Amino acid sequence: MHLGLTPWRISGQVDAHALARQAALAEEWGYESFWLPESHFAGDAAIPDPLMLLAAVSARTRTIRLGTTSYLLPLRHPLQAAEQVAVLDRLSGGRVILGVGRGYQPTMFDAFEVSRKDKRRLFEACLTTMQRAWKGEPVGDGSGEARLSPLPVQEPHPPVWVAAFGPKALAQAGRLGLPYLASPMEPLGRLRENLRRHGEACEAAGVARPVEVPIMRTLFVSDDRGLVAQVREQLGLAARQLASVGRPGVSLEADDWAIVGDPSAVADKVAAYRETLGMTHLVVTRLRIGRVETAALERSVRTAAALLQ
């Protein structure tokens, strides 16, 4: 199983040095990929340019793959996006995994003057153009025709995974024959249903099901029973807060969507995900509760690497 992670601490000031340090430690401990989301106008949670931050990370690491959990295509010009991804793939020696998404926050679409009704069409049009550009094909017509340079190291292009939540997004990902990157907040039963829908969409489109089954999961491991109980309680409170603002599909029981416990319990639960869902890639995501000391988070991340490799 491929083991990846997101940063266990993300500063509201997007401190590239702190992120690079975490990625270097993760690489040392045996993680195979390091992931950043994209978010805009979200205060301390904002990460508006994940590729730029991953470029900083690439300079401090050698082998760990560099991933985005939701590079938002409807906001971007396809040729510029293709160039930026190609440059990062070159800088890193071919280590990019591009997780792409559509976005959902109304304020973000309004600020970028993008119609939410068009986001799926814009997403697919952008991705199609990017894929053509990465292959070195001409893009545009007549005097506006252009060829991308430099091309990515990976041929024909870096792996593309799709962050999808609702039925329409899952159907689109399946029709395109791209792996579905599962959310860290959806319970096991919903993940099973989503993977079924995604597979059916692949079959209906006559494309092979991707071999990759990547799943993001909030994970915390410790022998300290009191700390584990505290983390589980705080995760439950966070879920209730999300549910109160209308986030669909969120279970109020942390154990439905998070992997929290002592080493034996965590290992057993990860094994169950692999058996039940066919999970090939586990991306360990941060807790997002803000009440756990950094030293405890780092011990959890290091223990998980030793436990799950």
Side-chain angles (χ1 to χ4, degrees), residues 223-252:
D223 284 314
D224 184 334
R225 293 183 179 179
L227 181 57
V228 166
Q230 175 191 338
V231 166
R232 185 177 283 112
E233 179 184 3
Q234 291 299 318
L235 288 172
L237 290 173
R240 283 190 281 277
Q241 184 177 8
L242 285 172
S244 70
V245 297
R247 175 74 177 267
V250 175
S251 171
L252 301 185

Side-chain angles (χ1 to χ4, degrees), residues 42-64:
D44 284 347
I47 303 176
D49 199 333
L51 295 188
M52 184 177 290
L53 292 168
L54 288 171
V57 168
S58 75
R60 289 275 301 275
T61 56
R62 294 181 300 151
T63 60
I64 200 165

Side-chain angles (χ1 to χ4, degrees), residues 120-141:
R120 288 185 183 84
R121 179 187 63 80
L122 292 171
F123 170 90
E124 189 163 342
C126 183
L127 181 57
T128 298
T129 300
M130 290 171 71
Q131 290 172 325
R132 288 179 54 204
W134 286 328
K135 295 175 184 177
E137 297 176 5
V139 177
D141 298 311

Side-chain angles (χ1 to χ4, degrees), residues 24-299:
L25 285 173
E27 183 176 80
E28 178 185 331
W29 295 336
Y31 285 90
E32 297 175 80
S33 54
F34 185 80
W35 297 77
L36 287 178
E38 178 178 352
S39 61
H40 297 268
F41 319 119
D44 284 347
I47 303 176
D49 199 333
L51 295 188
M52 184 177 290
L53 292 168
L54 288 171
V57 168
S58 75
R60 289 275 301 275
T61 56
R62 294 181 300 151
T63 60
I64 200 165
R65 303 295 299 264
L66 308 174
T68 57
T69 61
S70 55
Y71 188 61
L72 302 178
L73 298 189
L75 308 184
R76 292 183 162 83
H77 188 284
L79 277 178
Q80 184 178 32
E83 281 184 330
Q84 291 173 334
V85 173
V87 167
L88 179 59
D89 204 49
R90 285 277 164 188
L91 282 174
S92 64
R95 289 190 274 151
V96 172
I97 302 174
L98 191 69
V100 293
R102 300 154 196 79
Y104 65 92
Q105 295 174 320
T107 54
M108 181 189 71
F109 285 105
D110 292 344
F112 282 98
E113 299 180 347
V114 174
S115 168
R116 279 173 283 164
K117 294 180 180 179
D118 288 339
K119 68 179 183 179
R120 288 185 183 84
R121 179 187 63 80
L122 292 171
F123 170 90
E124 189 163 342
C126 183
L127 181 57
T128 298
T129 300
M130 290 171 71
Q131 290 172 325
R132 288 179 54 204
W134 286 328
K135 295 175 184 177
E137 297 176 5
V139 177
D141 298 311
S143 60
E145 188 177 273
R147 290 181 186 269
L148 188 68
S149 180
L151 296 177
V153 170
Q154 300 178 84
E155 296 180 354
H157 52 73
V160 177
W161 299 351
V162 179
F165 299 96
K168 291 180 180 179
L170 287 161
Q172 186 178 43
R175 179 169 51 78
L176 295 172
L178 298 174
Y180 149 54
L181 177 58
S183 158
M185 290 295 294
E186 292 174 301
L188 184 61
R190 181 161 178 171
L191 287 182
R192 190 184 297 111
E193 175 66 14
N194 286 352
L195 286 167
R196 182 189 64 78
R197 289 182 174 182
H198 176 257
E200 288 176 351
C202 291
E203 292 172 4
V207 297
R209 289 193 186 198
V211 296
E212 301 90 349
V213 182
I215 295 174
M216 294 187 286
R217 290 286 92 172
T218 299
L219 187 149
F220 183 81
V221 56
S222 174
D223 284 314
D224 184 334
R225 293 183 179 179
L227 181 57
V228 166
Q230 175 191 338
V231 166
R232 185 177 283 112
E233 179 184 3
Q234 291 299 318
L235 288 172
L237 290 173
R240 283 190 281 277
Q241 184 177 8
L242 285 172
S244 70
V245 297
R247 175 74 177 267
V250 175
S251 171
L252 301 185
E253 295 297 327
D255 283 329
D256 287 345
W257 50 268
I259 300 174
V260 180
D262 62 33
S264 177
V266 166
D268 287 346
K269 195 157 189 179
V270 170
Y273 272 84
R274 295 183 69 182
E275 180 178 355
T276 303
L277 303 176
M279 178 176 67
T280 61
H281 293 66
L282 171 62
V283 179
V284 173
T285 65
R286 66 192 189 279
L287 294 179
R288 296 186 181 93
I289 57 177
R291 297 188 181 184
V292 181
E293 293 182 355
T294 298
L297 293 175
E298 292 190 359
R299 282 194 298 272

